[in-house]
Amino acid sequence: VGATAPELLQRAVVQHGAHVGIALDGDGDRLIMVDHLGRVLDGDELTYIIAGHRQRLGRLSGTVVGTQMSNLGLEIALRELGLSFQRAAVGDRYIMEMLNANGWTVGGESSGHIICLDLTSTGDGIISSLQVLEAMVQTGLPLAELAVGMTKFPQRLVNVRLQQRADVTRAPAVQKAVAEVEAILAAEGRVLLRPSGTEPLIRVMVEGRDERQVDELAHFIANAVREALDAPGGVAGRAA
């Protein structure tokens, strides 16, 4: 059960005809919600709902903050509301740093770690869920309808495992592959290449409108990373 395993909650919401389901993680700082149709809304969609409702009430202070992993659909949806969006490094502490440095109040991660700094000093799943429930009550709209303005882009993450830690993201062949993919996606997608901070992995993320294309392009870059690792002077690795 919980934010990382919402399947039981999805079934229960539909079975009981509930308006909404709420799932937190073990320490209660992350939030995932389920609409009346049994569909999961992640942290990007909930951040969109909270920011949009605060804008309507005139209670949003400054730019909304996400991370490098936040879905491009969130950025586009906020832009269509006339709201600015900036990306911090992956991790809620980096969101917090950016919010504090600029006097902004709302930020969130796809995982459901949402921060409302005008109400609390840290991520709190209960506080975040209350903001979404407030939006539902005050607008009279179901959760599914509040999220309609945001369309999530397909996102593919491929991990390339290393024998030992190494950063080959700046290798010429890898940079060339990234440039080719970015040219294909143009303004309709993103590429993110980064070493894991906790494991011997290079994480390859590609995002775009077409799911099949996104999958192919992510593997194309991952193969370039593997080849760079196996090249003379590289570090042998394999895809996870």
Side-chain angles (χ1 to χ4, degrees):
V1 298
T4 59
E7 295 80 13
L8 178 61
L9 178 63
Q10 291 176 265
R11 294 196 297 271
V13 167
V14 174
Q15 178 184 347
H16 295 287
H19 291 97
V20 63
I22 298 172
L24 308 178
D25 66 343
D27 60 357
D29 59 3
R30 284 192 288 163
L31 167 71
I32 294 296
M33 297 182 77
V34 174
D35 68 20
H36 71 289
L37 300 172
R39 298 180 301 194
V40 170
L41 277 74
D42 68 7
D44 288 340
E45 293 161 302
L46 299 179
T47 298
Y48 167 75
I49 290 171
I50 291 171
H53 186 59
R54 283 168 174 243
Q55 180 200 38
R56 288 189 291 272
L57 296 177
R59 284 171 28 200
L60 183 65
S61 177
T63 295
V64 179
V65 176
T67 74
Q68 293 173 340
M69 294 301 292
S70 296
N71 195 279
L72 183 59
L74 171 61
E75 182 174 351
I76 292 173
L78 290 173
R79 186 189 308 150
E80 290 174 352
L81 291 179
L83 297 177
S84 300
F85 177 76
Q86 286 199 26
R87 295 178 185 272
V90 176
D92 59 282
R93 71 186 183 99
Y94 298 110
I95 293 176
M96 184 75 73
E97 287 175 3
M98 188 174 285
L99 291 174
N100 280 320
N102 295 281
W104 302 333
T105 56
V106 175
E109 291 189 283
S110 306
S111 64
H113 195 128
I114 301 168
I115 299 170
C116 301
L117 272 189
D118 56 331
L119 298 175
T120 182
S121 60
T122 186
D124 186 313
I126 295 175
I127 295 293
S128 300
S129 66
L130 288 171
Q131 305 316 296
V132 178
L133 294 177
E134 178 188 56
M136 292 174 64
V137 170
Q138 292 189 356
T139 63
L141 297 175
L143 184 58
E145 194 166 338
L146 287 174
V148 161
M150 177 183 160
T151 301
K152 290 177 66 177
F153 278 41
Q155 201 177 72
R156 182 71 166 96
L157 179 66
V158 179
N159 293 324
V160 179
R161 186 167 296 278
L162 312 174
Q163 298 287 335
Q164 63 188 65
R165 289 188 183 279
D167 183 3
V168 295
T169 60
R170 297 188 182 278
V174 175
Q175 290 290 299
K176 181 175 182 292
V178 169
E180 290 177 9
V181 170
E182 288 178 335
I184 292 169
L185 294 172
E188 296 292 297
R190 290 191 308 130
V191 175
L192 178 64
L193 204 62
R194 67 184 183 91
S196 168
T198 56
E199 300 177 80
L201 300 172
I202 299 291
R203 302 194 189 279
V204 179
M205 190 278 287
V206 176
E207 193 173 52
R209 289 193 180 274
D210 184 271
E211 187 170 4
R212 179 179 296 180
Q213 182 188 52
V214 163
D215 187 66
E216 291 175 353
L217 294 176
H219 283 287
F220 172 71
I221 296 175
N223 285 335
V225 172
R226 286 187 217 109
E227 290 172 6
L229 291 168
D230 292 334
V235 179
R238 61 181 180 83

